[in-house]
């Protein structure tokens, strides 16, 4: 299902999960930081799984071009050489390319970057875990949580197809 969710709703849900409804423990900026960290983790997972969710298609009309700030890697092989944040076409333009991007960092006034509710729910859950784990260093527990999160992302990907 394609849906949009406001970041303020996600922060509210994180507060509910960590039992901090009265904003005693963590302020919104801290929760926003954890949410952005969770979104980057999910982005990395989706990209490593070659999920089309974070693929953009663009036609390059000039020989050299600047890559977007959230560029991760090309989704396939294209006649392009990349150095730093710039690319150079090795064929004559125009060339249509596909590439992976990471989710943009969100602000409190933004909407969540994923249109799949399941992925937004995973981001909320992971941000909640980050918030709850900020003081503890339990490696075994962290590994189990990571395995659970990876499974949840994989499930969200398969339901989004």
């Amino acid at each position: 299902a394609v849906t949009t969710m406001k970041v303020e709703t996600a922060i509210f849900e994180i507060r509910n999960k960590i039992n901090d409804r009265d904003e005693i423990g963590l302020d919104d900026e801290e929760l926003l930081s954890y949410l952005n960290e969770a979104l980057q983790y999910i982005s990395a997972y989706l990209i490593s799984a070659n999920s089309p969710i974070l693929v953009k298609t663009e036609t390059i009309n000039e020989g050299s071009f600047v890559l977007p700030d959230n560029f991760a890697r090309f989704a396939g092989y294209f006649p392009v050489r990349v150095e730093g944040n710039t690319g150079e076409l090795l064929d004559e333009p125009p060339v249509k390319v596909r590439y992976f991007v990471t989710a943009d960092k969100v602000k409190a006034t933004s909407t969540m970057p994923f249109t799949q509710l399941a992925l937004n729910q995973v981001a909320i859950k992971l941000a909640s875990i980050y918030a709850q784990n900020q003081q503890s260093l339990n490696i075994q527990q962290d590994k189990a949580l990571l395995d659970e999160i990876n499974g949840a992302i994989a499930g969200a990907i398969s339901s989004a197809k």
Side-chain angles (χ1 to χ4, degrees):
V2 175
T3 59
T4 58
M5 176 186 282
K6 293 183 182 280
V7 170
E8 60 190 12
T9 303
I11 289 175
F12 177 79
E13 288 190 31
I14 294 166
R15 283 204 182 286
N16 281 337
K17 287 186 182 302
I18 64 171
N19 294 317
D20 188 25
R21 290 172 197 88
D22 298 325
E23 300 184 32
I24 296 168
L26 299 168
D27 64 27
D28 283 355
E29 285 304 310
E30 287 174 290
L31 294 182
L32 192 59
S33 171
Y34 291 130
L35 183 58
N36 276 311
E37 197 174 330
L39 292 169
Q40 292 309 304
Y41 181 89
I42 293 168
S43 293
Y45 184 98
L46 293 172
I47 292 166
S48 70
N50 291 315
S51 171
I53 292 171
L54 292 174
V55 171
K56 301 284 183 200
T57 302
E58 191 171 320
T59 301
I60 300 171
N61 293 310
E62 296 180 21
S64 63
F65 55 94
V66 176
L67 297 168
D69 290 338
N70 61 349
F71 174 88
R73 66 176 169 86
F74 285 102
Y77 298 100
F78 298 96
V80 174
R81 179 177 38 236
V82 174
E83 289 184 23
N85 69 338
T86 60
E88 181 182 340
L89 283 180
L90 302 176
D91 280 357
E92 289 297 313
V95 174
K96 192 177 209 175
V97 296
R98 297 180 67 215
Y99 58 92
F100 290 98
V101 296
T102 57
D104 289 326
K105 289 199 174 207
V106 294
K107 299 176 183 151
T109 56
S110 310
T111 57
M112 293 289 284
F114 301 120
T115 55
Q116 298 81 6
L117 180 61
L119 286 175
N120 288 329
Q121 293 296 339
V122 171
I124 289 166
K125 183 174 188 172
L126 185 53
S128 301
I129 290 168
Y130 287 155
Q132 289 173 323
N133 258 8
Q134 66 177 344
Q135 303 292 330
S136 63
L137 295 170
N138 183 340
I139 304 290
Q140 283 303 112
Q141 179 185 359
D142 288 352
K143 167 121 179 54
L145 289 172
L146 217 55
D147 290 345
E148 182 183 339
I149 291 294
N150 288 344
I153 297 170
I157 292 171
S158 64
S159 71
K161 288 182 179 173

